[in-house]
Amino acid sequence: MRSDPPTSLYVHVPFCVVKCGYCDFNSYTVEDRGVMDVFLDALDRELSQVVLPARPVSVFVGGGTPTYLDEDRFDRLWTILARHVDLRAVDEVSMEANPESVSQAKGERAREAGLTRVSVGAQTFDPGRLAFLDRAHGPERIAEAVGELRAAGIGNLSLDMMFALPGQTAAEWSADLDSVLSLEPDHVSAYALIFEPGTRLTRDQKRGRVSAVDEEVEREMFLETRARMKRAGFEAYEISNFAGRGGPCRHNDHYWLQRDYVGVGPGAASHRAGVRSTNYKPVDAWARAVLDGRPGTATAETLSPRQRFGEALWLGLRRTLGVDLSEIAGRLDWPLPASAAEALERHEAAGLLARRGERVALTEEGVLYADMVGESLLALD
Ligand SMILES: C[S@@+](CC[C@H](N)C(=O)[O-])C[C@H]1O[C@@H](n2cnc3c(N)ncnc32)[C@H](O)[C@@H]1O
Ligand code: SF4
């Protein structure tokens, strides 16, 4: 009997009520909601074109803002997904939700189809900073949204937060953490704001209108997050992700473990057996290809074993458990590249990595330099 390698499914819903000035994800505002029908038609087609895993390890419906679809279209989205995938047989089916557009009815509709977990994009509880970030919700709406999702029977709720917002103090972020914990989430993600190239935020920074918080302040916020979440009984299973009652996000863990995934929807990426492909980003280009019976794929690249090794280290070191070098070598059928071994030794000597047998993980100090360590391993010659 043939069994698929463990594979997850990602579904990208590319629409948002506003385009937040800091966001470089593939998401769009729409003047004519008819585009959403074209999107749903094309999604249905693409799901019948791609080779789907018999039973995905996890399904993640992200965006964009899946909850921005109005009730009828939201209903159709889940009807389509359930037609192609036996969602109820999947252990984790997650969805991203924005506070302003989620409702108990949408939560119930998706839960009936198999949804088990929701990530609510809260970002901050400070009204002025929510407005600065272009968010369409106020702070009070976050608690309401959480209440509606709980009432809809969603047992596993995550809150997505951002810190190091321009002008934010460590005390303000600490107050945000109080608000997060008061809502008793099952999981929390907390990322420092990144000034992504090409975004309005970065243009404003270049014009001197906004500036990033000091590195020292960002570091203080990061350490405070880890300490506070630990005290509250959450496990930092990854640099920016904290598992409470709901456990780790299996979908993201699957990604950090460099497992295979299939992505559908505009701009979605797939990774299967060392081949990475990406769909057309614009909704119309992707939909035209798919509805014409062609793949929605814009680019495909076969990664060399050496590239895959570097990527496995870069991704895997984000996890608190770190990486198992022999597991990676066995899976990729490729020995640890000498340049990677040298880089690992160098970081170990600097106190950033700790090695126990075949397992290598970031130290408490190393967690602060995770990006630098990861990038040095990604760029192996
Ligand atoms: C792309 S959004 C999609 C889900 C939903 N629309 C939302 O806004 O929460 C997923 C997460 O990415 C994070 N994100 C987006 N842009 C970011 C940036 N420039 N820096 C840090 N995090 C960012 C936000 O925390 C957000 O919750
Ligand atoms: S709502 Fe989410 S996906 Fe949409 S623009 Fe804002 S951060 Fe990006």
Side-chain angles (χ1 to χ4, degrees), residues 140-151:
E140 64 296 331
R141 183 60 207 147
I142 301 169
E144 286 170 14
V146 166
E148 287 165 11
L149 287 164
R150 291 284 191 214

Side-chain angles (χ1 to χ4, degrees), residues 46-268:
E46 190 175 34
L47 282 163
S48 56
Q49 286 168 0
V50 297
V51 180
L52 289 171
R55 183 178 165 185
V57 173
S58 56
V59 174
F60 195 100
V61 183
T65 309
T67 50
Y68 182 46
L69 299 179
D70 48 79
E71 275 188 25
D72 287 348
R73 293 185 173 100
F74 188 81
D75 175 69
R76 196 173 159 222
L77 169 72
W78 287 94
T79 302
I80 290 169
L81 295 177
R83 190 159 56 236
H84 294 279
V85 183
D86 185 3
L87 293 174
R88 288 165 174 280
V90 180
D91 291 334
E92 182 187 279
V93 180
S94 295
M95 175 182 73
E96 289 183 314
N98 279 30
E100 72 281 358
S101 53
V102 76
S103 65
Q104 183 173 338
K106 287 181 187 173
E108 281 168 358
R109 170 66 188 95
R111 186 182 55 74
E112 279 159 15
L115 180 75
T116 63
R117 183 178 180 279
V118 177
S119 261
V120 177
Q123 317 310 348
T124 171
F125 288 80
D126 180 310
R129 297 203 192 288
L130 281 170
F132 169 80
L133 293 172
D134 307 311
R135 302 294 294 185
H137 66 270
E140 64 296 331
R141 183 60 207 147
I142 301 169
E144 286 170 14
V146 166
E148 287 165 11
L149 287 164
R150 291 284 191 214
I154 304 295
N156 193 348
L157 272 184
S158 180
L159 289 180
D160 275 9
M161 299 292 294
M162 290 196 303
F163 62 93
L165 308 177
Q168 192 180 38
T169 64
E172 284 169 353
W173 170 237
S174 187
D176 263 354
L177 286 172
D178 290 338
S179 302
V180 167
L181 293 171
S182 74
L183 293 178
E184 302 184 353
D186 306 292
H187 179 282
V188 174
S189 300
Y191 286 93
L193 176 70
I194 300 168
F195 284 70
E196 298 284 4
T199 58
R200 189 157 40 75
L201 179 70
T202 300
R203 281 197 295 280
D204 285 348
Q205 183 192 32
K206 285 187 182 142
R207 291 185 189 125
R209 291 187 189 155
V210 291
S211 36
V213 299
D214 282 354
E215 260 178 47
E216 265 310 303
V217 176
E218 181 174 330
R219 175 194 282 239
E220 194 185 330
M221 291 174 174
F222 175 77
L223 292 173
E224 161 85 349
T225 311
R226 290 177 74 86
R228 285 288 297 281
M229 296 310 292
K230 189 174 180 182
R231 282 207 298 280
F234 286 74
E235 184 205 345
Y237 67 102
E238 193 262 358
I239 294 169
S240 306
N241 283 276
F242 304 90
R245 291 178 303 250
C249 172
R250 292 187 200 194
H251 189 85
N252 285 341
D253 235 7
H254 183 85
Y255 170 70
W256 294 316
L257 285 164
Q258 203 188 36
R259 305 287 194 227
D260 287 359
Y261 52 88
V262 176
V264 291

